[in-house]
Amino acid sequence: GLVAVCWAALLYHGFTGYTQATQKIITTARNIKRLLKDDPSIQVFGDPLASIVAFGSKEVDIYKVGDTLGQHGWHLNFLQYPPGIHICLTTLQVADDFAGRFVHAVKEAIEQVRLEPKGMASLGKLYGTVASIPDKSLVGEAAKVFLTCYYKTETVRRDEETENLGDRDQETAKRI
């Protein structure tokens, strides 16, 4: 599927358009890497050369940083071994000021976690905790429990939202 999407994008944008988009993505990623490396509390993993920049921190709980960023609209992925988060850039993030805005948000999140290290719950902590389980067969069970609880919560929320709908709209909501 991914190969087909890449091929379709190449056909749509043409070689020149695809190459220009790639250059913008890589330039943005390198700007993020450079700006992150300027902060001694941030540890950039490896030497990212393409569209993904991964980083952690030896000073604060990076999972709490990721959760804090998520609360402010940044959707990042958690990593383990070592604990970290990463951003995967696309053409949606190649605005001139994106790298600066992103790194500023990361630094603000680090400062918030530094000021309130114990006052924050962390979904990332669940991810990191599951990674530390010695019996890896339990990881699947932990994921099932988490997803079951999540979907039950979503069902209750959806049911509460449909209570105020008329009969016809309630039937439509149930089918969805």
Side-chain angles (χ1 to χ4, degrees), residues 52-141:
I52 298 174
V53 181
F55 56 95
S57 176
K58 292 183 179 179
E59 295 181 18
V60 296
D61 182 339
I62 197 66
Y63 295 137
K64 289 182 180 181
V65 171
D67 288 340
T68 301
L69 287 165
Q71 293 168 3
H72 295 285
W74 297 97
H75 302 288
L76 306 171
N77 295 307
F78 294 108
L79 304 171
Q80 59 190 25
Y81 305 125
I85 51 181
H86 82 266
I87 184 168
C88 182
L89 299 157
T90 68
T91 54
L92 298 174
Q93 292 96 16
V94 296
D96 291 336
D97 62 339
F98 181 84
R101 287 186 298 116
F102 174 71
V103 173
H104 179 74
V106 170
K107 290 178 181 182
E108 281 187 339
I110 287 173
E111 190 57 31
Q112 185 176 343
V113 172
R114 186 178 283 128
L115 294 173
E116 306 171 35
K118 295 183 181 181
M120 306 173 75
S122 173
L123 287 176
K125 196 136 184 115
L126 171 69
Y127 182 84
T129 300
V130 170
S132 67
I133 296 173
D135 181 358
K136 297 302 181 201
S137 67
L138 297 175
V139 172
E141 289 301 314

Side-chain angles (χ1 to χ4, degrees), residues 9-10 12-24 91:
L10 182 59
Y12 179 80
H13 295 286
F15 183 79
T16 302
Y18 194 83
T19 303
Q20 288 172 345
T22 302
Q23 288 171 337
K24 289 177 183 178
T91 54

